[in-house]
Amino acid sequence: MTKARDQYREDVAGRANVEDTPELLAYYDELERFDAGALWTVANKIEPWEPVSSSHPVLWRYQDLRAHVLRSVDLVTPEKAGRRVIYLNNPGRSDVAAAVGWIYAGLQVMHPGEQASAHRHSASAIRFIMEGTGAYTVVDGHKMTLGHNDFVLTPNGTWHEHAVASDGTPCIWQDGLDIPFVNAMEANFYEVHPDLTQAVAYPVDDMTKTWGNPGLTPRDGNWSKGYSPMFKYEWAPTYEALSKLAGCSDGSPFDGILMDYVNPVTNGPVMKTLGASMQMLRPGERTQAHRHTGSYLYHVAKGRGHSVINGKRFDWAEHDIFCVPSWAWHEHANASASEDAVLFCLSDLPVMRAMGLYREQAFGENGGHQPVMP
Ligand SMILES: [Fe+2]
Ligand SMILES: [Fe+2]
């Protein structure tokens, strides 16, 4: 049966603008029989004038989710669940289980003495510690102890497992992975470790102690893998670095004091597909609006404030998570006149840059703020 095919017509020179006729509709049906189609019926849809994200701007409040995350401890064991995680489901991206764009995120809880089975996959991951003591992650035999606001990498292909020491307290952390992206590339493999656990083969925290010293690198250091050898990035030196930069720089009108986490060997992103940054909004600071390509998942590491995303205001507090979809206008404001606010951000910026797809634009001629919807 024939149906309308001219719904994407645009009356603009250079764009597809073909009116349906009985003859054309019959022709389209013929093509369909051979698994083919006329490009002009879909060209304007598949090549929009600018990026059209199917992700919605969303704020996930920690106070809404925390009790539900803790309840999962009574409902399933890590052994049965594999990973006991409540994932963040963007209403526009449910089909690929993404929090935004091609990035997956979830909140994972683990009790003292619990250990998740060791595994590896093609997806790369970070975990950002929100609460609790005694959490640790083992990556390819390197054990990293993890505290509040620290984050750890588990890069593509590395064996990894997460646990909480028996003398610790219940821990909750945010996972962030490129699962949807790797699935979109149809390149995802998953493997469970044959022993379900791996031996710790090196001194505890050795990779951060070896590679995480500002301005210094080991002379006999040898690292050529496509991800940072500094598996763990700690909160205290990060906050100190932001504070120091804030003391001698005006920062960016769009981002305040923004620093990227880097691979110390290359000065590039921590992993090939996922980038991480931390930004400080000084007391009372309100940034100007801009937009750029790439998907961004923010985690409030410290303080409170709000962001305006495509004209909608989202008020956030510590450990809330919110997303900025690709090409969405956004600006951030610190609600406090005396305390700084700090935002951790996970993004696919390394992919955007590597593929030559990164673009940004300031709002208004001379910078400014978006009108906020009531
Ligand atoms: Fe994993
Ligand atoms: Fe931005």
Side-chain angles (χ1 to χ4, degrees):
M1 201 182 97
T2 52
K3 51 185 183 282
R5 308 288 178 88
D6 58 1
Q7 56 184 312
Y8 301 111
R9 284 172 65 191
E10 284 179 33
D11 188 12
V12 178
R15 298 289 274 184
N17 187 18
V18 179
E19 194 176 354
D20 284 346
T21 63
E23 188 181 16
L24 274 172
L25 289 170
Y27 172 63
Y28 300 150
D29 285 347
E30 274 297 299
L31 289 173
E32 213 170 87
R33 283 180 53 212
F34 300 103
D35 296 318
L39 175 62
W40 61 84
T41 62
V42 295
N44 297 342
K45 178 193 173 196
I46 65 171
E47 293 189 288
W49 291 95
E50 56 181 36
V52 178
S53 178
S54 58
S55 303
H56 301 199
V58 180
L59 169 73
W60 292 272
R61 285 190 185 84
Y62 193 43
Q63 67 170 30
D64 293 337
L65 283 176
R66 185 175 180 275
H68 294 292
V69 171
L70 290 171
R71 183 150 179 257
S72 70
V73 175
D74 302 325
L75 298 173
V76 291
T77 61
E79 290 77 23
K80 283 210 162 179
R83 288 160 295 176
R84 193 166 49 206
V85 180
I86 304 306
Y87 73 97
L88 307 182
N89 186 23
N90 191 299
R93 302 295 286 158
S94 310
D95 52 339
V96 293
V100 61
W102 298 103
I103 297 175
Y104 158 97
L107 300 181
Q108 186 161 176
V109 56
M110 204 168 265
H111 268 204
E114 285 184 340
Q115 186 172 354
S117 51
H119 62 276
R120 63 179 175 183
H121 37 65
S122 312
S124 295
I126 66 102
R127 29 203 44 88
F128 187 88
I129 304 298
M130 299 164 72
E131 64 173 89
T133 60
Y136 67 89
T137 289
V138 185
V139 179
D140 280 346
H142 299 276
K143 176 176 173 176
M144 268 81 57
T145 56
L146 299 164
H148 185 243
N149 284 358
D150 291 350
F151 87 98
V152 64
L153 312 178
T154 56
N156 165 0
T158 56
W159 289 112
H160 58 277
E161 63 202 89
H162 310 294
V164 175
S166 49
D167 61 352
T169 61
C171 289
I172 299 178
W173 62 80
Q174 180 204 324
D175 291 316
L177 294 95
D178 57 8
I179 292 170
F181 174 71
V182 178
N183 285 341
M185 295 287 106
E186 301 179 340
N188 211 354
F189 292 90
Y190 192 100
E191 226 177 317
V192 177
H193 195 285
D195 302 329
L196 295 180
T197 184
Q198 59 178 320
V200 175
Y202 306 93
V204 172
D205 290 327
D206 68 316
M207 294 304 256
T208 302
K209 286 174 181 164
T210 302
W211 297 99
N213 302 297
L216 293 163
T217 194
R219 184 169 291 184
D220 61 354
N222 184 17
W223 188 264
S224 56
K225 293 178 179 170
Y227 48 84
S228 170
M230 193 177 147
F231 292 153
K232 173 177 64 164
Y233 293 77
E234 294 174 347
W235 165 245
T238 304
Y239 185 69
E240 189 187 345
L242 290 168
S243 303
K244 279 186 195 166
L245 184 58
C248 64
S249 164
D250 291 338
S252 150
F254 305 105
D255 288 300
I257 301 296
L258 171 64
M259 296 182 99
D260 289 324
Y261 289 98
V262 295
N263 174 341
V265 178
T266 63
N267 229 26
V270 293
M271 293 185 288
K272 283 187 174 176
T273 51
L274 290 172
S277 62
M278 195 74 96
Q279 75 192 81
M280 175 182 280
L281 303 170
R282 289 153 291 192
E285 182 162 11
R286 181 185 176 198
T287 66
Q288 293 176 17
H290 73 163
R291 64 181 176 179
H292 34 74
T293 50
S295 300
Y296 302 83
L297 194 66
Y298 286 89
H299 182 126
V300 182
K302 180 175 183 289
R304 61 193 174 81
H306 75 262
S307 298
V308 181
I309 306 166
N310 275 350
K312 195 170 169 196
R313 176 175 167 147
F314 297 89
D315 285 84
W316 39 256
E318 195 174 318
H319 294 319
D320 289 352
I321 297 168
F322 63 93
C323 68
V324 173
S326 188
W327 211 234
W329 294 113
H330 57 282
E331 58 195 89
H332 311 294
N334 181 351
S336 171
S338 56
E339 296 285 320
D340 50 50
V342 182
L343 302 173
F344 175 75
C345 185
L346 179 71
S347 74
D348 58 7
L349 202 49
V351 177
M352 291 292 124
R353 290 211 163 116
M355 293 183 173
L357 297 173
Y358 183 73
R359 202 191 278 204
E360 64 180 76
Q361 185 182 23
F363 185 84
E365 294 264 312
N366 305 304
H369 304 291
Q370 307 158 73
V372 180
M373 290 187 287

